[in-house]
């Protein structure tokens, strides 16, 4: 069986990049499956939000925390899930409010799954990232983005099963092509970090099995191997994990450049850990 088109989805999270200067919350990029997601929102999720969330969030002083529309719920769904599943004092709904049932909690996850269920056509490799800002770990906020230009990629074109697409797989992206939600100001601020950090980012699968993949990332001329979890779905491989410390890649200069531009917006704190998600699909 041949897999002649794949989508390689890498969330290479650069804390600095994630630190958007104009928003307090994660910006998720789900351009591909709006039609189905809107139907699910209107028929299922909206009633849950209206009954359990909107009494507070409709009147929230920060617009990013108002979940009274499809677009606002879409852009904040990852943070909403984090709060719903939190075990600290940031859990939502608060303890003194009516709690979500398990089915209601699952509706938020289903909404996210629908948004992510298709990958945009065109470039066969899609790279996205997410990272975090603010000093308080329990209340740190994520910012996500993508890269518009894939310089090169390689997958096992003779793979006879899905997992073997990983055999020798690699991707190289142009770091200067960073895109933060198609917002020019935020993208320019994040680009200042990459201009001082690295021209390219590459990822190479060194080895793998049905549970883990050992992937070497190269940034700023420095390589580090990271162990990612492997999940197999119908015609899809999902790798996820964390780059634990960007200091390994000597990011200090880029950190300082970015902090000089945007430090006041993230309280001079960018977190060093980077979440990664890689999705490889047979299309």
């Amino acid at each position: 069986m041949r897999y002649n088109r794949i989508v390689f989805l890498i969330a290479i999270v650069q804390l600095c990049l994630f630190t958007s200067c104009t928003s307090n919350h994660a910006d998720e990029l789900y351009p591909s499956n709006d039609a189905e997601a809107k139907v699910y929102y209107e028929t299922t999720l909206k009633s849950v939000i209206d009954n359990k969330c909107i009494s507070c969030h409709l009147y929230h002083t920060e617009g990013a925390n108002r979940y009274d529309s499809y677009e606002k719920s879409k852009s904040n769904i990852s943070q909403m899930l984090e709060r719903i599943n939190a075990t600290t004092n940031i859990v939502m709904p608060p303890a003194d409010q009516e709690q979500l049932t398990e089915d209601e909690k699952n509706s938020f996850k289903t909404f996210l799954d629908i948004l992510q269920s298709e990958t945009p056509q065109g470039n066969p490799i899609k790279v996205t990232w997410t990272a975090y800002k603010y000093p308080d770990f329990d209340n740190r906020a994520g910012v996500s983005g993508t890269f518009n230009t894939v310089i090169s990629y390689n997958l096992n074109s003779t793979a006879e099963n899905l997992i073997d697409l990983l055999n020798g797989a690699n991707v190289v992206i142009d770091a200067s092509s960073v895109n933060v939600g198609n917002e020019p100001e935020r993208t320019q601020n994040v680009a200042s970090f990459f201009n001082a950090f690295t021209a390219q980012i590459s990822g190479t699968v060194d080895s793998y099995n049905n549970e883990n993949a050992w992937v070497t990332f190269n940034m700023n001329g420095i390589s580090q191997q990271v162990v990612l979890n492997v999940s197999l779905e119908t015609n899809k491989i999902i790798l996820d994990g964390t780059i634990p410390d960007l200091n390994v890649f000597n990011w200090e200069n880029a950190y300082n450049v970015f902090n000089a531009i945007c430090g006041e917006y993230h309280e001079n704190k960018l977190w060093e850990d980077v979440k990664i998600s890689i999705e490889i699909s047979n299309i």
Side-chain angles (χ1 to χ4, degrees):
M1 176 170 49
R2 289 177 177 269
Y3 299 89
N4 50 18
R5 291 194 64 188
I6 59 92
V7 178
F8 210 89
L9 184 71
I10 302 181
I12 299 178
V13 177
Q14 303 289 0
L15 275 179
C16 307
L17 310 179
F18 312 159
T19 318
S20 149
C21 298
T22 59
S23 174
N24 293 333
H25 303 288
D27 294 312
E28 304 295 345
L29 306 178
Y30 306 121
S32 62
N33 206 15
D34 265 335
E36 184 179 351
K38 284 179 180 177
V39 171
Y40 185 82
Y41 172 82
E42 292 294 340
T43 60
T44 303
L45 185 62
K46 186 176 185 297
S47 63
V48 177
I49 294 174
D50 287 347
N51 292 332
K52 299 290 181 71
C53 309
I54 208 68
S55 60
C56 292
H57 286 278
L58 177 61
Y59 303 104
H60 203 286
T61 56
E62 298 180 27
N65 280 346
R66 292 182 56 165
Y67 306 145
D68 56 331
S69 71
Y70 167 75
E71 292 296 335
K72 290 174 183 176
S73 297
K74 171 185 172 181
S75 65
N76 287 282
I77 185 59
S78 289
Q79 182 188 357
M80 294 164 78
L81 275 168
E82 288 179 5
R83 292 296 181 93
I84 288 169
N85 296 314
T87 57
T88 66
N89 59 1
I90 67 168
V91 66
M92 290 291 171
D96 60 349
Q97 300 295 316
E98 184 179 1
Q99 297 300 295
L100 297 169
T101 67
E102 286 303 312
D103 285 344
E104 288 171 337
K105 289 181 180 180
N106 289 336
S107 67
F108 288 87
K109 178 62 166 61
T110 299
F111 181 62
L112 177 59
D113 289 343
I114 293 172
L115 286 168
Q116 295 178 322
S117 64
E118 295 181 8
T119 307
Q121 300 298 310
N123 194 328
I125 297 179
K126 177 72 175 178
V127 178
T128 64
W129 46 259
T130 303
Y132 298 91
K133 59 184 178 180
Y134 299 148
D136 184 353
F137 182 87
D138 289 335
N139 290 288
R140 64 182 187 167
V143 179
S144 297
T146 188
F147 297 95
N148 293 334
T149 302
V150 174
I151 297 173
S152 65
Y153 73 95
N154 180 65
L155 290 150
N156 181 13
S157 61
T158 62
E160 296 192 2
N161 53 64
L162 191 62
I163 188 70
D164 286 335
L165 282 174
L166 296 177
N167 189 6
N170 65 71
V171 61
V172 180
I173 62 173
D174 178 359
S176 69
S177 68
V178 65
N179 182 343
V180 183
N182 292 312
E183 297 183 25
E185 179 184 356
R186 303 178 72 186
T187 295
Q188 182 178 359
N189 290 333
V190 170
S192 69
F193 168 81
F194 276 116
N195 290 338
F197 181 46
T198 187
Q200 298 179 359
I201 298 172
S202 68
T204 300
V205 176
D206 301 318
S207 60
Y208 62 92
N209 56 37
N210 286 338
E211 296 181 353
N212 297 108
W214 286 259
V215 180
T216 294
F217 293 97
N218 185 285
M219 293 178 277
N220 199 24
I222 299 170
S223 296
Q224 182 187 44
Q225 188 181 78
V226 176
V227 182
L228 304 180
N229 300 317
V230 173
S231 300
L232 296 178
E233 300 183 1
T234 303
N235 293 327
K236 182 184 296 185
I237 307 170
I238 298 174
L239 311 181
D240 64 84
T242 299
I243 294 177
D245 190 356
L246 288 179
N247 284 298
V248 170
F249 299 97
N250 291 342
W251 75 325
E252 292 87 353
N253 180 55
Y255 181 106
N256 292 334
V257 168
F258 188 73
N259 212 37
I261 297 172
C262 292
E264 64 179 299
Y265 296 101
H266 52 76
E267 300 177 20
N268 297 307
K269 177 59 180 179
L270 306 174
W271 288 90
E272 296 82 1
D273 58 310
V274 174
K275 285 188 176 180
I276 302 168
S277 175
I278 303 173
E279 181 178 316
I280 305 172
S281 301
N282 172 38
I283 299 179

